Amino acid sequence: MSTLLGIDLADWTARGGAWTAREIAQQPAVWRATGELLAGAPARATAAWLEALLARRDLRIVLTGAGTSAFIGECLAPVLARRTQRRVEAIPTTDLVAGPQAWFQRDVPTLLVSFARSGSSPESAAAVALADRFVDDCHHLVLTCNAAGELCARGQAHPRCRVLVLPEASHDRGFAMTSSFTSLLLAAAGLFGVAATAPDALARTGAAAQDALARGLALAHALVAQRFERVIYLGSNVFKGLAREGALKLLELTDGAVVGSFDTPLGFRHGPKTIVDARTLVVLFVSNDPHARLYDLDLLRELRADGRAARVLAIAARPDGLAPDDLVVAGMADAADLDCALPFAAFFQLFALLQSMASGLTPDNPSVSGTVTRVVHGVTIHPCVD
């Protein structure tokens, strides 16, 4: 492969972005490998174990992780709650560790689902230990990209835990989570039966991502050329977590030079809309759900009528209600929003990567000061008093 995302591979290497570019571009292949993993006997046994737990009507499901890994749970929670008819909450490890008594309930049977790229962040293992301490009947599911991480090792030694290690290619070596984010989301959705992971379904999703990257390349370059100072991502339900991740990708890869923010389309009117000015790009993920879509399109029309933003961009799987210069991802018009999240993510990852390059940074390690690292360091886990 001599080029990646329209740029010569040697140029990516020279400019310190080869890993991130490769990890964005490879996602359809990693999704196929994840689907093959889910079809294997160990993953099928884990899915059966989950079904047995879900038969308990009093089961509480807590989806956890830190940073991007936490946003996986935010994307998954609305769909999982609807499918299981159980209490499902996305709570970051950073909240669980800081206030376990506020979040864990001793008498409520709980499944803690931990997402992690490396599994070596201090909060990851601490959250598992605190859950066991503060919940009498606690079970664990660990999904990680790193077989050598501490979370994986602890999970494999835990009598009430199942561990799924994703394909090695999902363990991003670049600073920002890209392949790992989408692959962990896909793996969890497949295990819980809320997304189709058969080869034909993943072929469609992969083709949609390739379309988003190919057709979106010129769009992403054009957006970068407009030199926005702020980018606001908006989305409902599944896309709320996706909006958070889009904002974080931009902050991470530009080392904070371009401010990324997020909200829901309905929530945005209640104060946060004041951030919009002539240097702002607003990106709205438009839902395929007929009800949510009505609210998305309402705000889209309102933002364009306001005329305050430098650009309002809709990303969607269907063209109705959109402008000709919006991005409509091919082949997903009848897909669930959770499936659409994967190709939508590929585009905003590409945009953040190109913005990083335009800012003169090295995307594989964009933190100029070095105060932010790929695996978080410097966190002291303090003893917790009951």
Side-chain angles (χ1 to χ4, degrees):
M1 183 183 296
S2 60
T3 62
L4 276 173
L5 305 175
I7 296 176
D8 188 82
L9 181 56
D11 194 22
W12 279 122
T13 302
R15 299 175 68 178
W19 279 114
T20 306
R22 184 181 294 111
E23 287 154 1
I24 292 171
Q26 74 179 4
Q27 287 175 103
V30 181
W31 300 340
R32 289 195 298 273
T34 301
E36 292 168 3
L37 177 70
L38 293 172
R44 293 201 309 272
T46 297
W49 175 79
L50 284 173
E51 282 296 325
L53 281 177
L54 290 170
R56 303 176 61 171
R57 298 201 61 84
D58 58 348
L59 183 71
R60 178 193 187 198
I61 302 170
V62 176
L63 309 170
T64 196
T68 290
S69 295
F71 307 155
I72 296 166
E74 289 196 7
C75 291
L76 187 62
V79 180
L80 191 55
R82 183 173 181 178
R83 187 269 191 205
T84 64
Q85 295 297 298
R86 299 291 180 270
R87 179 181 169 192
V88 180
E89 298 162 88
I91 308 172
T93 56
T94 46
D95 288 350
L96 295 176
V97 169
Q101 301 97 326
W103 299 108
F104 292 121
Q105 294 177 271
R106 183 165 299 282
D107 297 331
V108 178
T110 299
L111 169 64
L112 185 71
V113 183
S114 298
F115 298 102
R117 172 172 61 175
S118 72
S120 297
S121 297
E123 300 96 337
S124 297
V128 170
L130 288 166
D132 285 335
R133 177 177 169 184
F134 285 96
V135 180
D136 288 339
D137 185 5
C138 192
H139 301 262
H140 300 270
L141 173 63
V142 170
L143 290 92
T144 182
C145 303
N146 182 19
E150 182 181 356
L151 186 63
C152 181
R154 290 200 178 200
Q156 290 171 336
H158 195 297
R160 297 185 306 281
C161 181
R162 297 295 176 99
V163 178
L164 183 69
V165 180
L166 271 60
E168 175 62 25
S170 71
H171 189 200
D172 297 326
R173 293 179 63 173
F175 175 84
M177 289 177 64
T178 53
S179 286
S180 48
F181 168 72
T182 55
S183 298
L184 285 164
L185 177 58
L186 175 66
L191 282 176
F192 280 100
V194 294
T197 55
D200 58 341
L202 292 182
R204 179 174 81 153
T205 306
Q210 289 171 331
D211 173 73
L213 292 173
R215 288 195 304 110
L217 185 59
L219 171 60
H221 276 292
L223 294 174
V224 169
Q226 289 188 250
R227 301 175 64 87
F228 300 110
E229 295 176 356
R230 307 171 182 178
V231 180
I232 316 301
Y233 287 95
L234 303 172
S236 297
N237 303 316
V238 166
F239 293 153
K240 178 183 178 182
L242 197 69
R244 291 197 72 173
E245 173 59 7
L248 179 61
K249 276 293 111 4
L250 192 64
L251 281 169
E252 289 179 324
L253 287 175
T254 66
D255 199 24
V258 181
V259 177
S261 186
F262 79 98
D263 211 316
T264 62
L266 284 171
F268 193 54
R269 292 186 180 94
H270 292 263
K273 191 180 173 188
T274 56
I275 197 174
V276 176
D277 65 12
R279 303 304 307 157
T280 302
L281 166 66
V282 181
V283 180
L284 198 157
F285 300 121
V286 182
S287 176
N288 270 356
D289 176 81
H291 186 70
R293 189 180 183 88
L294 295 173
Y295 293 104
D296 295 343
L297 295 179
D298 283 349
L299 184 63
L300 186 62
R301 287 188 293 267
E302 180 180 313
L303 290 168
R304 287 177 169 157
D306 288 344
R308 287 180 53 80
R311 176 75 186 270
V312 178
L313 172 68
I315 300 178
R318 290 169 36 199
D320 50 295
L322 272 60
D325 58 352
D326 288 326
L327 179 63
V328 180
V329 176
M332 304 294 282
D334 61 344
D337 284 351
L338 193 61
D339 296 313
C340 292
L342 303 185
F344 288 8
F347 175 77
F348 70 61
Q349 292 166 355
L350 170 64
F351 169 59
L353 171 63
L354 296 179
Q355 187 72 68
S356 181
M357 296 277 281
S359 301
L361 301 170
T362 54
D364 291 345
N365 186 22
S367 177
V368 175
S369 67
T371 55
V372 181
T373 53
R374 178 179 174 276
V375 178
V376 170
H377 300 293
V379 177
T380 299
I381 303 299
H382 296 284
C384 182
V385 179
D386 291 356

